[in-house]
Amino acid sequence: MSPLNYNHLYYFYVVATEGSITKASTRLNLTSQTISGQITSFEAQIGVNLFERKGKKLSLSEMGGTHI
């Protein structure tokens, strides 16, 4: 397993607290695509889905909610 990327962890935290990738991207001054890609990369690295995606809606998964 590669070392933990703390940016991934921070992006996860911001998306979880803001409630959306769009709001998080505004707060972080990054594009939504960048945040989405980094979250996807983080989930792949740790082998856990942190969010449940239903269309454009995003909510914390059971595993994601236990890590916040």
Side-chain angles (χ1 to χ4, degrees):
M1 181 178 197
S2 58
L4 183 62
N5 180 329
Y6 289 102
N7 284 333
H8 288 158
L9 188 58
Y10 182 60
Y11 298 158
F12 162 68
Y13 172 77
V14 173
V15 171
T17 56
E18 290 293 330
S20 77
I21 289 177
T22 301
K23 289 179 183 176
S25 66
T26 299
R27 180 172 160 188
L28 295 168
N29 199 31
L30 296 168
T31 67
S32 296
Q33 294 84 355
T34 298
I35 300 295
S36 180
Q38 293 297 306
I39 295 292
T40 300
S41 176
F42 185 42
E43 289 176 326
Q45 180 183 1
I46 63 174
V48 172
N49 287 331
L50 299 170
F51 294 98
E52 293 179 6
R53 294 160 178 87
K54 293 179 182 159
K56 291 195 173 203
K57 299 230 179 216
L58 191 70
S59 60
L60 286 170
S61 68
E62 184 176 337
M63 288 299 291
T66 60
H67 292 90
I68 207 114

